[in-house]
Amino acid sequence: MSKPSETITINIDNQFLQVGAGKTILQAAEQNHIYIPTLCAYKDLTPFGGCRMCIVEVDGLRGFPTACTTPVVEGMNIRTNTVQLQNIRSEILQLILSEHPCSCLICDEQEECKEFSGTIRKATVTTGCRYCPNDGQCELAEVAKKVGVKEINYPINYRYYRVEREDPFYDRDYNLCILCGRCIRMCQEIRAANALTFKQRGQKTVIGPAYNRTHIEAGCEFCGACVSICPTGALSEKTRKWEGKAEREEITTCALCGVGCQVHLQIKGRDIIGALPADDPLINNGQLCVKGRFCIPELINNHQRLKKPYRAHDGLKIELTFEQAIEEAAKKLAVCPPNEFGMIVSQNITNEDLYIAQKFTRAVMGSNNIDTMARIYYGAGLNNYVGLMKSSATLESLRKAATILCIGLDTRYGGSVVGVELRMANRKGAKIITINSHPHNLSIVAHTWLKPESGEEVGFIQSLARLIGKAKSKRPDAKSETKPHPSDNDIETAARILAESSSVIILIGSDVFKYLNSPKVLEEIGKLARSLQAEIMPLPAQNNFNGALLMGAYPELLPGGFSSARKDKQAQLGEIWGSQIPDWATSWNAEAVMTGKRMKILYLIGEVPLRERPASDFLIFQNLYPPESIYRTDLVLPSAAFTEIDGTFINGEGRLQRVRKAVEPPGFALPDWKILCLIAQKMGKKGFDFDSVDDVHKEISCQVNGFSSLDNIKRETVIMTLEPACLTGKSDFAIDPYQAPDSGKANMEFPYLLHTAISEHTYRGFPLASYVEGLKKLFIEATLEISPEDAKKAGLISGDEVIVTSAKFEKTWPARIMAEQTAGILHVTLPQGEVPGRNPYPVRIRKKNV
């Protein structure tokens, strides 16, 4: 038997070809540009042989084997295009088309229709008889053309299925489905989500979730992989259903989470009409999450985008030219004392934007008052989290791990690319252990789900570490001092698996930061990793969390991640900039904004820190969308989005990645770095006359290893290769120390425990669900999640308004009854701008108006 690495000789249509042993006939033909029609075959999917269109003739084999399932052997003689084969294919295709609306495919006037029907439009759809959303992009139409089907000689059977429009991002018209099974195999084999299957039998066969569940109930992640590989118009994206084929595409890095997937932006005219995954072996391997796959066009093309600068006066918006806006900003900033200026920048903007922002703050304003919202989002756990980030593992390590410990991680929607890697690792034999007190998607595939009681997470992890130590030393297990979980067997099993594993990696999700004492939890995770010699992979919610650290966008840090108190680094930076660096410590940071400390000027770049106007005499708001009216912003400047600029991000692995401009920004919007440079120049400051973002990148390279030029990005892990390493100096962030709430236990007066979390699905301070319609069904905020038992006690049904009362506040939220929710525990995800405080809250509940 030939080995896969060997080369053999075959003959296809009188062409002698050298092909790799183990290939199928179809693969060998495709590699040598020989056309064999197929509808069910697709790269990386197991051969199916369902459509029968790829039949061939092979000497020595009876009948007509399918090319997609037949492996090549030495000396094989194959014919792909005989008259007999074409006749059989034509009959097969007619049978397929007899149950598929096909008037356009066999119409004698189809070419003329394409040419002339586009001149008149009605309700955004080209008039005429062309009705398929996949018109011009349909593989079935291409195969019909190649095979030469001109008429249907069988009875037409239209199935009269209703078009399913309930799901958030794509419609399903199974009247157009040819049952090729591609979507099912993609969902089962590549995504390993198992949300789709064949239902019914015979002529009644359809595709969908089993047991008549909705796609959300079936665990669908809305990754869109099924839409991408559908050969017909059965699955169609809502936002680009009639947009047609893209004219060009641009590859860039997604900015909607910390994974940093590579995407092919689909562009038509001046608009982005879609996004498809890139075949990137380093990260996403041809996969995307719901945010990267479907949200970018709605987010970028939204009609609410800022296009012109304006200032506010007595509640009125007065539009300005950019020159006028720059002049007004420069005039106000020029007379602002350094200690009365503050800037908050987004962790969603590029490294180049972040670098210029901190340079502007220090060199122009003479201040160290620059910060991000990480201090609020990660709270008291920020220092511990940054410490773990310094040695972050890569996805390649995850793919090789024997055991994967997930703590506070849910990958269903955000970061579902990591979820795919987890499920594939599980298929290869890796054990998955998940620790989470909240219902989450990994509980389905995990070998063990450890569910600590609320407030007992630290003792739980300590008990796990003790049991691991005993398992390693082969000592008999003993009960821990604190009972960590109702089932001791589960934690003992997990400890044994971890102790015996040859390689362990620990993944840290966002749910960790809602724990009662996240700093201590993160500290114990670090100890656990050292005892197991495990790698750690934090998964930050923000796409450029590492970039903000490395660019020095904090009062405590300079570019390169060095302490802002280091005299040698101040002098070095001052020499590069030709400006004196402020040598004074500051007590100001984002927490001061949240607590109402008033500043003379507050400059917000890509952030919306509060749901009301921050305390400042003059507020500059620089972003994609306008602020809410309650902000009463003094000056508003329009920014360009990540699809409209060049630059770089650093993902959660610490990997430097390229951002490429795909389209022009709307109106007069500019990149953030460019706006700051124009203001600095207007103020007469030197060192801001950059001609391009590449010039900014080159200046960064003078201070940070791994940066050189935008044309030479190697996508290496920058932070791990820095010398000296990032954050080697005095690097602790000034944050409020952890304090336990007054009572972390339920009692007679307050019998429930309320957990709150901040929404992580944002871009430049705005919730994605505010600008992407479909996300409102997936990312549910300001809704009280409650168990059926507790709902029954309170007389609640889903949607009822519930008054939640604690010793310090009273809130009203609609109820959402969830079978997975633990009795006695309530949960709510707060919208961006609301501070959760210290979890959990002992509360009582009652139905409103009762």
Side-chain angles (χ1 to χ4, degrees), residues 38 183 211 260 328 346 412 474 569 611 622 631 847:
T38 182
C183 55
Y211 307 113
E328 180 158 346
S346 171
R412 180 168 181 185
K474 305 299 181 183
K569 293 300 175 184
R611 296 182 68 81
Q622 184 170 308
Y631 250 61
K847 186 176 179 178

Side-chain angles (χ1 to χ4, degrees), residues 93-135:
L93 189 54
Q94 287 184 57
L95 286 167
I96 292 173
L97 294 177
S98 69
E99 291 189 338
H100 181 95
C102 58
S103 41
C104 287
L105 304 184
I106 60 174
C107 180
D108 293 336
E109 298 177 352
Q110 58 178 289
E111 295 302 323
E112 291 83 355
C113 185
K114 283 182 179 179
E115 184 175 356
F116 298 112
S117 69
T119 59
I120 303 174
R121 288 185 177 269
K122 183 178 181 181
T124 74
V125 181
T126 305
T127 58
C129 60
R130 312 192 71 84
Y131 50 81
C132 180
N134 230 32
D135 190 20

Side-chain angles (χ1 to χ4, degrees), residues 707-833:
F707 286 72
S708 54
S709 96
L710 284 178
D711 296 327
N712 191 32
I713 301 296
K714 298 179 180 178
R715 300 183 67 205
E716 295 177 345
T717 48
V718 176
I719 290 180
M720 293 177 65
T721 58
L722 275 176
E723 195 58 42
C726 175
L727 303 176
T728 51
K730 181 181 180 298
S731 59
D732 282 351
F733 290 99
I735 52 177
D736 284 341
Y738 160 72
Q739 298 177 15
D742 296 337
S743 172
K745 301 289 186 182
N747 52 58
M748 292 292 291
E749 184 180 4
F750 301 109
Y752 299 96
L753 285 179
L754 172 67
H755 282 274
T756 61
I758 303 178
S759 173
E760 64 178 281
H761 305 295
T762 63
Y763 178 62
R764 295 182 64 109
F766 291 99
L768 292 177
S770 296
Y771 296 92
V772 181
E773 187 66 27
L775 288 184
K776 293 176 182 178
K777 295 183 179 180
L778 305 184
F779 301 151
I780 299 174
E781 300 174 4
T783 300
L784 188 72
E785 297 174 1
I786 185 171
S787 71
E789 301 96 308
D790 293 335
K792 185 176 181 181
K793 287 180 186 177
L796 299 172
I797 62 173
S798 287
D800 282 347
E801 293 286 308
V802 185
I803 298 174
V804 181
T805 306
S806 78
K808 295 184 177 180
F809 68 82
E810 186 169 274
K811 295 278 188 179
T812 301
W813 292 301
R816 182 186 181 207
I817 300 174
M818 297 182 63
E820 305 90 350
Q821 188 68 29
T822 303
I825 304 294
L826 310 173
H827 183 270
V828 64
T829 299
L830 299 175
Q832 178 76 5

Side-chain angles (χ1 to χ4, degrees), residues 471-503:
K472 282 187 172 184
S473 62
K474 305 299 181 183
R475 287 181 290 167
D477 288 344
K479 300 295 181 185
S480 60
E481 297 173 6
T482 303
K483 187 176 181 180
H485 191 270
S487 173
D488 290 329
N489 289 334
D490 286 344
I491 192 171
E492 289 170 0
T493 300
R496 186 177 65 255
I497 292 171
L498 290 165
E500 296 173 354
S501 178
S502 58
S503 60

